[in-house]
């Protein structure tokens, strides 16, 4: 089996799995965790130490039901080089609200619920599109922000993502604010 056919817990070293399972169950029940020391196993069967932060993902703007868990792992294995800037930003977030985590990325990031309504919109996508976060949350992504000529591709990308297919490296047409 490949790493694409396994769960996050399958990547955790055997001696840490029960603790990680219990922690993820706590997150599903509303208790976020920060800076939990965990060992992961690499594809070449080496172990690396990471600091795990896990946050609940909620079903939508007005739906606080937990529908998933976001895991952020920052490698803590000793290195001669200093930690990268993104790793330092994540460490400083500790247990931050999900929107703060999304805002920490230096890439345009938005989240939609299962019905395609926007639940997160970071500062980077706001800068690119001209739409501030406060004006987009709760609105449908496809019909409001994607022009007709890009809608079929965007709908397919969303369908793929919602079915569990990893998507990356795609360009999504967004309507800029007038």
């Amino acid at each position: 089996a490949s790493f694409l056919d396994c769960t996050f817990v399958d990547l955790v070293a055997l001696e840490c799995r029960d603790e990680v399972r219990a922690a993820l169950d706590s997150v599903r029940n509303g208790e976020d965790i920060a800076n939990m020391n965990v060992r992961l196993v690499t594809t070449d069967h080496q172990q690396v130490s990471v600091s795990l932060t896990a946050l609940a993902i909620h079903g939508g703007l007005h739906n606080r039901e937990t529908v998933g868990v976001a895991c952020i792992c920052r490698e803590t294995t000793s290195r001669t080089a200093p930690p990268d800037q993104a790793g330092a930003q994540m460490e400083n977030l500790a247990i931050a609200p999900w929107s703060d985590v999304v805002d920490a990325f230096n890439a345009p990031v938005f989240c939609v619920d299962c019905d395609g309504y926007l639940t997160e919109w970071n500062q980077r996508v706001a800068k690119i599109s001209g739409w501030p976060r406060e004006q987009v949350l709760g609105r449908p992504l496809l019909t409001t922000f994607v022009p007709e000529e890009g809608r079929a591709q965007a709908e397919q990308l969303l369908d793929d993502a919602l079915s569990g297919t990893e998507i990356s490296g795609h360009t999504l047409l967004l309507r800029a604010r007038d």
Side-chain angles (χ1 to χ4, degrees):
S2 76
F3 280 108
L4 297 177
D5 299 323
C6 63
T7 68
F8 174 74
V9 175
D10 294 330
L11 303 176
V12 174
L14 286 173
E15 62 273 12
C16 300
R17 286 185 184 173
D18 289 339
E19 183 181 8
V20 170
R21 274 190 198 99
L24 294 177
D25 284 342
S26 294
V27 173
R28 285 185 204 96
N29 291 318
E31 183 183 326
D32 294 337
I33 59 169
N35 302 321
M36 178 181 179
N37 293 320
V38 176
R39 283 188 309 286
L40 301 180
V41 180
T42 65
T43 55
D44 61 352
H45 307 291
Q46 300 297 311
Q47 290 193 10
V48 292
S49 297
V50 298
S51 177
L52 171 67
T53 296
L55 307 161
I57 299 173
H58 301 286
L61 187 60
H62 301 292
N63 178 357
R64 299 307 296 164
E65 176 187 354
T66 300
V67 296
V69 175
C71 294
I72 302 165
C73 295
R74 184 181 53 81
E75 187 174 359
T76 57
T77 304
S78 295
R79 302 278 181 188
T80 55
D84 65 23
Q85 187 176 7
Q89 283 179 327
M90 289 302 153
E91 183 178 47
N92 292 337
L93 286 173
I95 296 185
W98 177 241
S99 59
D100 289 352
V101 174
V102 170
D103 263 345
F105 293 106
N106 190 27
V109 177
F110 59 86
C111 301
V112 295
D113 63 17
C114 292
D115 297 318
Y117 287 84
L118 287 157
T119 60
E120 290 300 338
W121 187 264
N122 78 350
Q123 292 176 18
R124 186 75 174 142
V125 75
K127 183 177 180 179
I128 291 169
S129 70
W131 289 97
R133 181 178 190 272
E134 306 77 43
Q135 291 182 7
V136 302
L137 295 184
R139 295 177 72 182
L141 173 69
L142 292 176
T143 57
T144 308
F145 301 101
V146 178
E148 188 66 41
E149 64 268 21
R151 208 165 286 160
Q153 178 199 14
E155 190 168 8
Q156 183 60 55
L157 289 172
L158 287 177
D159 287 345
D160 289 348
L162 290 170
S163 71
T165 302
E166 182 178 329
I167 59 169
S168 64
H170 296 276
T171 301
L172 180 66
L173 266 155
L174 288 178
R175 184 177 295 125
R177 187 170 182 201
D178 296 331

